[in-house]
Amino acid sequence: MRRPAFYSRSPRTLPPAAEPAAGSPADAAAVAEAVQAPPPRARWQPGRRAFALLTVAFMALAAGGAYWAPRHAGKALTQKDIDAAVLRTLQTNTLPSPAARAADIVRPSVVRVVGYGPEKATPEAKTQKRGRNMAKGKPPEAPADGGTPGEVERGVGTGVVIVDKGVILTNLHVVAGAEKIKVTFADGLEAIAVITGVQPENDLAVLQAQKIPDDLIPAVMRSTADLRPGDQVAAVGFPFGIGPSVSAGVVSGLKRSFRSPEGKQELGNLIQFDAAANPGNSGGPLINMDGEVLGIVTAILNPTQQRTFIGIAFAVPIENAASAAGSPPF
């Protein structure tokens, strides 16, 4: 018996030339057997099988996502939810006060200012010097800090950097008569400074430091045009040489006048405030709760001879102070 022919995927009929001759029994039997044999199954190719499997998997994932997504979607936040979260944070976390945040902003720009001059040979001056040195654990006749033999501190105050090149605003009475001026920056760097400008009518002086930190940050100045009594303020400085110290209060009044205890000078257009200020705060910044400089602390009012704070202090508006440096900011 002849071997049946291999069928392709698409069966075809025999051509007329291949048809057996009539009357040939053997050939007729072979043809009948070939016709009755079933065609072979079509074989799957690997690429088509993989594509089909991926299609089924994708459809299953899509169906699962459509089923689970609505059940696990995030809950829409309401204003009530937000208020509750804020309240919980306020109850469980200690936040810094507005004055503390403001002081942190301006502190890198605040400097200690010391003026040195020749030592007076009076018995009173010698006694004061011995007392200061003994309080600091030094020999009674040692020179003052930062000074040379024969020099003493003539004035201790505060200054604020307004230009990153080392331009500093302070009070004129802090450095008046000083033969040498030394400033100490927030990072501890000490430098000699020279007076480059004065405005006696506002008790202001402009200093230029001879050496400055690499990352010196100037303070930001703010116009006092919208300042009102009751606005919160803070004074940053070195009262009695201690600091930097921070005291907070409010603006008590505007356009105030002040006459020095000796009656030699009267200052006008001052900001009155009740944040504690004492000798050493002079020349320091009066700031708002954004850490912006509103004025330069210049005087305190005390009808006694104690020269300590009793609740009234004054600052020169920053508009006047900046003009002393030759660059009005507003």
Side-chain angles (χ1 to χ4, degrees), residues 3 65 77 83 135 168 172 196 202 204 214 225 254 258 278 291 299 303 311:
R3 185 176 180 180
L77 293 178
D83 293 342
I168 300 168
L172 180 57
T196 59
N202 287 310
L204 294 169
D214 294 334
L254 301 170
F258 171 78
N278 285 287

Side-chain angles (χ1 to χ4, degrees), residues 28 36-37 43 64 67 77 113 190 204-205 223 225 229 236 272 286 299-300:
Q36 293 176 359
R43 294 182 299 172
Y67 177 79
L77 293 178
V113 181
E190 296 183 345
L204 294 169
S223 171
V236 183
Q272 178 189 337
L286 181 71
I300 58 176

Side-chain angles (χ1 to χ4, degrees), residues 7-283:
Y7 279 78
S8 68
R9 201 169 301 168
S10 300
R12 64 173 184 263
T13 58
L14 292 175
E19 292 181 357
S24 176
D27 290 341
V31 170
E33 183 179 356
V35 170
Q36 293 176 359
R41 295 181 180 179
R43 294 182 299 172
W44 282 85
Q45 296 180 3
R48 296 186 61 185
R49 179 178 299 175
F51 177 77
L53 292 175
L54 287 175
T55 302
V56 173
F58 177 78
M59 293 176 66
L61 288 175
Y67 177 79
W68 287 103
R71 292 163 173 74
H72 294 273
K75 177 184 176 182
L77 293 178
T78 64
Q79 186 62 45
K80 185 178 180 180
D81 297 329
I82 297 173
D83 293 342
V86 172
L87 181 60
R88 185 165 53 253
T89 300
L90 293 175
Q91 292 174 341
T92 57
N93 294 276
T94 302
L95 301 178
S97 69
R101 293 195 299 268
D104 286 342
I105 293 172
V106 79
R107 189 174 286 115
S109 307
V110 178
V111 301
R112 185 174 188 262
V113 181
V114 180
Y116 296 93
E119 181 179 7
K120 296 180 181 179
T122 63
E124 181 181 358
K126 290 182 178 180
T127 301
Q128 292 176 350
K129 174 186 174 182
R130 291 191 185 98
R132 288 194 300 269
N133 286 339
M134 292 177 67
K136 297 175 181 178
K138 294 184 175 183
E141 300 303 324
D145 291 342
T148 57
E151 286 185 338
V152 295
E153 292 180 356
R154 299 294 297 274
V156 180
T158 308
V160 58
V161 178
I162 61 170
V163 180
D164 60 3
K165 294 181 180 179
V167 179
I168 300 168
L169 275 175
T170 189
N171 278 153
L172 180 57
H173 74 259
V174 172
V175 296
E179 293 185 352
K180 181 171 68 175
I181 302 170
K182 179 176 286 188
V183 296
T184 305
F185 293 94
D187 66 350
L189 176 68
E190 296 183 345
I192 300 298
V194 296
I195 300 175
T196 59
V198 296
Q199 196 178 78
E201 64 273 21
N202 287 310
D203 189 26
L204 294 169
V206 182
L207 307 180
Q208 174 63 61
Q210 301 300 296
K211 183 170 57 174
I212 62 174
D214 294 334
D215 56 350
L216 183 59
I217 301 174
V220 176
M221 295 177 283
R222 171 66 181 268
S223 171
T224 61
D226 57 352
L227 192 64
R228 296 292 181 268
D231 286 347
Q232 290 182 300
V233 291
V236 183
F238 293 85
F240 302 107
I242 303 171
S245 300
V246 181
S247 58
V250 298
V251 173
S252 303
L254 301 170
K255 300 186 182 301
R256 300 293 199 238
S257 297
F258 171 78
R259 182 177 294 275
S260 64
E262 298 81 9
K264 296 180 179 179
Q265 185 178 10
E266 181 173 352
L267 303 176
N269 190 35
L270 300 175
I271 303 169
Q272 178 189 337
F273 62 94
D274 69 352
N278 285 287
N281 277 108
S282 296

